[in-house]
Amino acid sequence: MRPSQSGRKEGAGYPALDGWRGICASLVALFHFRVGWSIGENSHFARAAIVQHASLFVDFFFVLSGFVIAYRYRDGLTARTIRLRDFVALRLGRLYPLHLVTMLLVLAIVLFFRYGTHGAAHITWGGDDVSVKAFIANLFLAQGLHVLPGPSFNHPSWSISAEFATYVVFALLWTQLRTRSWIATSLILLAAPVVLLGVFGYNIDVSYDWGFVRAMLGFALGTVAFSVSKHAQVRALLDQLTRAESTVIEVLLLALTYAFVAFAGDTPYSLAAPFLFAGVVLVFSEQGGALTTALVSRPLQSLGRLSYSIYMLHFPLQVMITWVA
């Protein structure tokens, strides 16, 4: 990609990755709609392999978060021109309001089911997932830190808990270790896969229990992808690619991503998901190929802006749709 052909201007962010974010959030929502109280579990669409294993796209979010947070905050935190408490407050302000709203929404749904005159007796939901302990854990964003026996309230929000804890860990590494933080990042990259294999045993699909380790692995790879994208030799190589060459690479990565998620999504090979997604984020952050045109289109950019809302609201919506149906 020659400099004049680059689809991204310095300081303009990464709109192609925003398009990816919207697509992945929608796929995760489709995955959840086909399980549990699904009304379309037996449809051809629900049985599609890419939908069946779309929970892996949560790892894309972790990798993307590492990339974007490193882009926006790592230098400032390392140089201590951004205070740790300011960073934590900014991230908490981004994540917490919608988390709180959806938690209270789920609580209202539970109360309606249990005590409302039009409750749904056939839906057997409740117990540990909406207990007082679970409420407190969710209130303090701890529901993804292995403190509960199962998923709770807005079930997908475990990843928000794990991601916020990961923000804090990496911010501490950057402010305290500064230029030596790469050592800790390397240790995370070595230890996290071993822990996930040793504890869970057969794939990466952990959530409320060991999801924090999963988030750490993806986030670390995202920070590495950002560092690689800024390396002088890598930049020289990328700048030599033509638009056609960049398009070929994008198409191959897209095909590889589809094949990987569809056919290796629930096997031990799923541990490679964050590594693959790190490559996807690195390549598409350059916005050098033709696929970028679709990703930066208005519909996909709008989907990207709504991605957090899609992710956080789809579970309560699923419950309500199932009850109505």
Side-chain angles (χ1 to χ4, degrees):
M1 174 179 54
R2 297 185 180 91
S4 61
Q5 295 176 324
S6 174
R8 190 185 76 86
K9 297 179 180 179
E10 197 65 32
Y14 298 91
L17 297 182
D18 291 334
W20 264 102
R21 190 199 308 270
I23 293 171
C24 292
S26 300
L27 285 169
V28 172
L30 288 174
F31 166 79
H32 285 135
F33 264 86
R34 63 162 295 279
V35 297
W37 303 315
S38 173
I39 58 176
E41 192 168 358
N42 295 319
S43 69
H44 292 293
F45 183 78
R47 290 201 300 266
I50 189 71
V51 177
Q52 289 180 341
H53 302 143
S55 61
L56 279 181
F57 286 111
V58 172
D59 296 287
F60 183 90
F61 296 142
F62 292 143
V63 173
L64 183 58
S65 289
F67 188 94
V68 172
I69 294 299
Y71 161 64
R72 290 181 178 173
Y73 298 107
R74 185 173 62 183
D75 288 348
L77 287 167
T78 301
R80 297 178 181 170
T81 56
I82 298 176
R83 292 184 297 181
L84 178 62
R85 67 180 184 183
D86 291 338
F87 168 77
V88 171
L90 284 169
R91 300 320 300 166
L92 191 63
R94 170 73 176 90
L95 297 179
Y96 196 80
L98 189 54
H99 163 64
L100 181 62
V101 167
T102 56
M103 182 182 69
L104 295 177
L105 177 59
V106 170
L107 179 61
I109 293 172
V110 171
L111 294 175
F112 177 76
F113 282 170
R114 288 184 178 177
Y115 306 113
T117 56
H118 301 287
H122 66 285
I123 294 182
T124 56
W125 181 45
D128 289 339
D129 55 348
V130 290
S131 65
V132 174
K133 180 181 179 181
F135 183 85
I136 294 172
N138 277 265
L139 196 63
F140 289 96
L141 269 182
Q143 71 273 21
L145 305 181
H146 209 344
V147 300
L148 297 173
S152 59
F153 283 89
N154 187 11
H155 291 189
S157 72
W158 70 266
S159 65
I160 305 305
S161 167
E163 184 169 321
F164 180 72
T166 302
Y167 289 159
V168 175
V169 168
F170 273 84
L172 285 170
L173 293 178
W174 292 334
T175 55
Q176 301 305 311
L177 297 180
R178 307 181 81 172
T179 57
R180 296 190 300 276
S181 63
W182 68 269
I183 299 174
T185 301
S186 300
L187 291 175
I188 291 169
L189 292 176
L190 291 172
V194 175
V195 170
L196 290 172
L197 268 180
V199 172
F200 204 63
Y202 61 91
N203 64 37
I204 200 173
D205 191 19
V206 292
S207 55
Y208 65 89
D209 44 9
W210 295 100
F212 174 60
V213 179
R214 182 180 178 182
M216 291 279 285
L217 174 60
F219 194 95
L221 284 166
T223 66
V224 170
F226 178 74
S227 297
V228 170
S229 74
K230 296 303 178 184
H231 193 278
Q233 292 180 333
V234 175
R235 289 251 46 88
L237 176 63
L238 292 173
D239 288 342
Q240 292 175 1
L241 294 176
T242 65
R243 181 172 176 81
E245 291 168 339
S246 296
T247 299
V248 169
I249 294 172
E250 289 179 356
V251 170
L252 289 175
L253 264 180
L254 182 63
L256 179 60
T257 299
Y258 180 93
F260 178 86
V261 173
F263 301 110
D266 58 356
T267 71
Y269 297 111
S270 63
L271 283 167
F275 295 88
L276 171 62
F277 292 146
V280 172
V281 168
L282 174 61
V283 168
F284 280 89
S285 68
E286 292 300 310
Q287 299 184 173
L291 293 188
T292 295
T293 303
L295 290 169
V296 301
S297 65
R298 183 173 297 179
L300 286 185
Q301 288 297 291
S302 297
L303 195 65
R305 285 191 293 271
L306 292 172
S307 59
Y308 184 47
S309 298
I310 292 170
Y311 185 79
M312 292 297 286
L313 288 168
H314 76 267
F315 179 77
L317 180 62
Q318 178 189 10
V319 175
M320 294 304 298
I321 289 176
T322 304
W323 173 74
V324 171

